[in-house]
Amino acid sequence: MDLRLVTLPVIVPLFAAVLLAALRAICNSRAADGIALIAAGSSTVFSGIILSASRHQTIVYWLGNWQPRNGIAIGICFAVDPIGAGLATLCGGLTVAALIFSCKYFDRAGTLFHVLMLVFLAAMSGFCLTGDAFNMFVFFELMSASAFALCAYKTEEREALQGAANFAVTNTIGAFLVLDGIALIYARTGALNLAQIGRTLGASRDALTLIAFALITSGFLIKGAVVPFHLWLSDAHAVAPTPVCVLFSGVMVELGLYAVVRFYWTVFSRALPDSTPALQWLFILFGTATAVVGGVMCFAQHHLKRLLAFSTISHMGILLMGIGMMTPQAMSGVWTYLAGHSLVKAALFMGAGILVHQFRTVDEVALKGRCHSWAAGLIFAGGGLALAGLPPFATFFGTAMLEDAAKRSGYGWAPAVIMLAGILTGGAVLRSGMRIFLGIGRGRPLPSSESHDDSEKRGPVSPVMTIPALALLAIALCIGVPRSFRDGILRYAATLQDSGAYASRVLEGTPTPVQTSTSADIEVATIIRSCSSALIAAALGWFALAGRFRGFRRSLAASPVQAMVNGLRSLHSGVVGDYVVWIVAGVVAVGVALMVQL
């Protein structure tokens, strides 16, 4: 493969964005759709080619042919392993699906929507492929800036501007933390190349290294929507156009956790071996809180976009728990679960978008019994069961790998948390589906100012909107089934965690050692447990609607459970000052947990 191909997933969408911006005055919406789809599709194909080529060796491309001298990096490189290339391919595929969906969704999207989507794609692809810490920050900022603009795309709505402002303030604080952390490790090592930094730091551990790690990790956890850094996410999803939500929940949030993994294993893993137990507990504690809080808040929502947003928060908690286990088996579960969740969540947001397109509301109660689209119903049913972990969705295989890794690592209680999160989030989606498509249940609609969306085109459901969602759901259903897929993910996870081999490959061109691990067999008991989880989720959704349980639900409303839910609601106040206070508290918690290890 020509190594210059590595840059094309970034260059092609950027070039198309510039072209569309230049032709804005004469380019109609159909032409803009076509150019954007060709560019996003090309970027996806190039990422797929890079993914195929990187399966046996990490691909390293030095821009301007500025090769390392005597093992010291003097240029900027793209260093691409299968995990990074796979994420870039996922970014491209979801962008293509979102652009197809938007063709019939907007009354008049405007060329700037396509420009921002393409810049967003280029930034996400560059974030996944780069091997340079500062370039990673630059792509992080480009991704955030385009995301802020896309979130506030409906500028005529005050709520959109408020949600985007909360998103911008909190994530800019995250960027500030990341930049400060990179500045500290640059002051210590004099390097910005990830492999060079990791090799220079070596096993040296001091306060400066720990502070740099705490700042970088906290900054990326804000993007990853981990409790208590998560408060911005539901506000942003509630106001962003649905095709944008597809990318926000489908892949942008996941990239925050990818960055934590990339920085830890490439840069800090050898410098912080004594802090590993504290770091494991920190990640697992934060992940558990995120999974439970997100799940409870998800089930408490009737606003469909907020419901799906809190579901994303809950599933980021599951992923962070897997990262905290720090074994190749756990990380293979993380990447498998991430792939399944991204595809399913993108499909579910498209399902919600179909309802907005037809009825201009995202209120589950107001939509009761009004939608008769079998395709939309299938999306909600399949998506809810997938979030609950029903076989053979990829979320099931990811859950099985994580549960197996948890038991091997001594976290025997972790599978119960993962199962609870799946039941709550899957049950919430299935409850919405039963109410909307079967007309079951009663309730009080949300105020129209919170639930109505008049800015997006109203009309009949088009196959252009349903086919991408069903295709994503079908891929999520099949992708984890082949044993070769799971074995490959396990080998790639082990490769990513080998920081020494990564540095040798990037700085000296040494071939990457071949990993020969194979994934564990899926036990019958795991299948039965996962089917039970999906069945309980469906029963929970029905219990929340059935008239015969109305008295029991009223008794719950007066119980401490409702008080706890009300307490959680009050934390999501929509006031950005409150969010900043919780971010400060989270950064302090991360810093204290690491500093006690000195």
Side-chain angles (χ1 to χ4, degrees):
M1 188 190 79
D2 189 336
L3 291 180
R4 289 173 296 185
L5 191 71
V6 173
T7 61
L8 292 183
V10 180
I11 291 175
V12 169
L14 275 182
F15 177 79
V18 172
L19 178 66
L20 278 173
L23 299 177
R24 181 184 174 194
I26 60 173
C27 190
N28 61 34
S29 61
R30 293 299 178 207
D33 287 339
I35 293 173
L37 277 171
I38 291 171
S42 301
S43 177
T44 308
V45 171
F46 291 133
S47 294
I49 294 172
I50 296 166
L51 170 61
S52 177
S54 66
R55 287 181 303 158
H56 306 295
Q57 286 293 336
T58 298
I59 298 173
V60 182
Y61 174 67
W62 293 93
L63 300 178
N65 201 28
W66 288 76
Q67 300 282 343
R69 297 290 185 272
N70 300 320
I72 297 175
I74 55 176
I76 297 171
C77 77
F78 276 25
V80 188
D81 60 13
I83 298 296
L87 284 171
T89 307
L90 182 65
C91 294
L94 292 187
T95 304
V96 170
L99 287 170
I100 293 173
F101 181 85
S102 67
C103 291
K104 290 289 185 182
Y105 186 73
F106 288 113
D107 187 16
R108 189 176 54 189
T111 306
L112 287 180
F113 172 78
H114 303 86
V115 172
L116 290 170
M117 289 287 277
L118 290 173
V119 173
F120 195 30
L121 170 60
M124 290 190 294
S125 299
F127 190 78
C128 299
L129 302 179
T130 186
D132 184 273
F134 189 73
N135 270 21
M136 204 166 181
F137 168 75
V138 171
F139 285 124
F140 180 78
E141 276 295 272
L142 185 61
M143 177 170 57
S144 297
S146 51
F148 302 155
L150 284 166
C151 184
Y153 195 75
K154 297 177 283 188
T155 53
E156 68 280 5
E157 296 182 9
R158 190 181 67 175
E159 292 81 7
L161 298 179
Q162 182 180 357
N166 289 352
F167 180 17
V169 170
T170 52
N171 280 256
T172 300
I173 292 172
F176 177 76
L177 296 175
V178 171
L179 184 60
D180 279 355
I182 292 174
L184 288 178
I185 56 177
Y186 180 71
R188 170 55 52 86
T189 65
L192 289 173
N193 182 277
L194 290 171
Q196 186 75 65
I197 297 169
R199 175 173 287 182
T200 305
L201 280 180
S204 62
R205 180 172 70 98
D206 54 21
L208 187 142
T209 306
L210 285 174
I211 292 172
F213 177 73
L215 292 173
I216 292 172
T217 301
S218 298
F220 285 128
L221 288 182
I222 293 174
K223 182 68 77 180
V226 169
V227 170
F229 305 111
H230 69 291
L231 296 163
W232 62 272
L233 188 128
S234 62
D235 292 347
H237 280 68
V239 299
T242 302
V244 177
C245 293
V246 169
L247 297 183
F248 280 7
S249 259
V251 73
M252 181 191 74
V253 180
E254 286 84 346
L255 290 186
L257 297 186
Y258 163 74
V260 172
V261 172
R262 175 62 72 190
F263 262 90
Y264 176 73
W265 268 288
T266 306
V267 173
F268 293 104
S269 60
R270 285 183 291 175
L272 304 177
D274 296 338
S275 300
T276 297
L279 194 58
Q280 284 182 304
W281 272 109
L282 183 73
F283 283 165
I284 291 177
L285 183 65
F286 275 34
T288 301
T290 306
V292 174
V293 170
V296 170
M297 287 299 295
C298 173
F299 200 80
Q301 302 299 314
H302 287 170
H303 188 298
L304 290 177
K305 285 186 177 179
R306 286 189 183 274
L307 183 153
L308 294 177
F310 279 111
S311 165
T312 297
I313 291 170
S314 182
H315 292 280
M316 291 308 103
I318 293 174
L319 294 178
L320 189 61
M321 290 173 68
I323 293 170
M325 295 171 202
M326 294 190 173
T327 64
Q329 289 75 19
M331 291 308 302
S332 67
V334 167
W335 303 125
T336 304
Y337 195 94
L338 186 152
H341 171 265
S342 297
L343 296 165
V344 170
K345 193 53 62 66
L348 280 171
F349 265 108
M350 290 182 186
I354 290 170
L355 298 173
V356 175
H357 182 70
Q358 273 194 296
F359 306 107
R360 288 189 173 181
T361 180
V362 287
D363 182 6
E364 169 191 322
V365 177
L367 287 165
K368 177 188 168 187
R370 294 174 64 184
C371 187
H372 305 289
S373 166
W374 66 267
L378 185 59
I379 292 166
F380 270 78
L385 293 171
L387 294 184
L390 183 72
F393 284 100
T395 45
F396 157 71
F397 290 105
T399 300
M401 294 176 185
L402 288 171
E403 290 178 350
D404 182 58
K407 292 172 183 173
R408 293 171 185 265
S409 303
Y411 302 102
W413 51 270
V417 176
I418 296 171
M419 186 175 181
L420 175 65
I423 289 172
L424 288 173
T425 55
V429 172
L430 292 171
R431 181 202 66 203
S432 299
M434 292 178 200
R435 197 195 299 267
I436 295 168
F437 300 99
L438 302 180
I440 303 174
R442 301 166 63 180
R444 183 181 301 170
L446 296 169
S448 60
S449 59
E450 295 182 21
S451 60
H452 276 67
D453 194 336
D454 296 329
S455 61
E456 295 172 0
K457 183 180 179 180
R458 184 173 185 172
V461 178
S462 165
V464 171
M465 302 171 74
T466 57
I467 289 175
L470 292 172
L472 292 176
L473 210 54
I475 295 171
L477 184 70
C478 304
I479 191 171
V481 174
R483 179 68 178 263
S484 58
F485 175 84
R486 305 196 299 275
D487 289 346
I489 291 285
L490 178 58
R491 290 196 296 271
Y492 306 150
T495 299
L496 189 150
Q497 292 180 259
D498 191 345
S499 58
Y502 176 85
S504 298
R505 176 63 181 164
V506 172
L507 300 175
E508 284 100 17
T510 307
T512 308
V514 177
Q515 303 287 341
T516 56
S517 307
T518 56
S519 60
D521 294 329
I522 303 296
E523 298 178 356
V524 175
T526 304
I527 297 174
I528 294 173
R529 187 167 58 250
S530 297
C531 291
S532 302
S533 175
L535 190 62
I536 295 171
L540 182 64
W542 179 69
F543 167 79
L545 300 174
R548 69 181 65 177
F549 299 116
R550 193 172 302 132
F552 184 69
R553 292 198 298 271
R554 284 174 180 164
S555 65
L556 279 180
S559 70
V561 175
Q562 186 61 45
M564 183 191 73
V565 174
N566 291 339
L568 288 176
R569 283 185 191 276
S570 66
L571 296 179
H572 301 78
S573 60
V575 179
V576 70
D578 295 348
Y579 296 180
V580 173
V581 169
W582 281 105
I583 287 174
V584 172
V587 174
V588 171
V590 173
V592 169
L594 292 173
M595 294 302 289
V596 294
Q597 295 297 310
L598 275 178

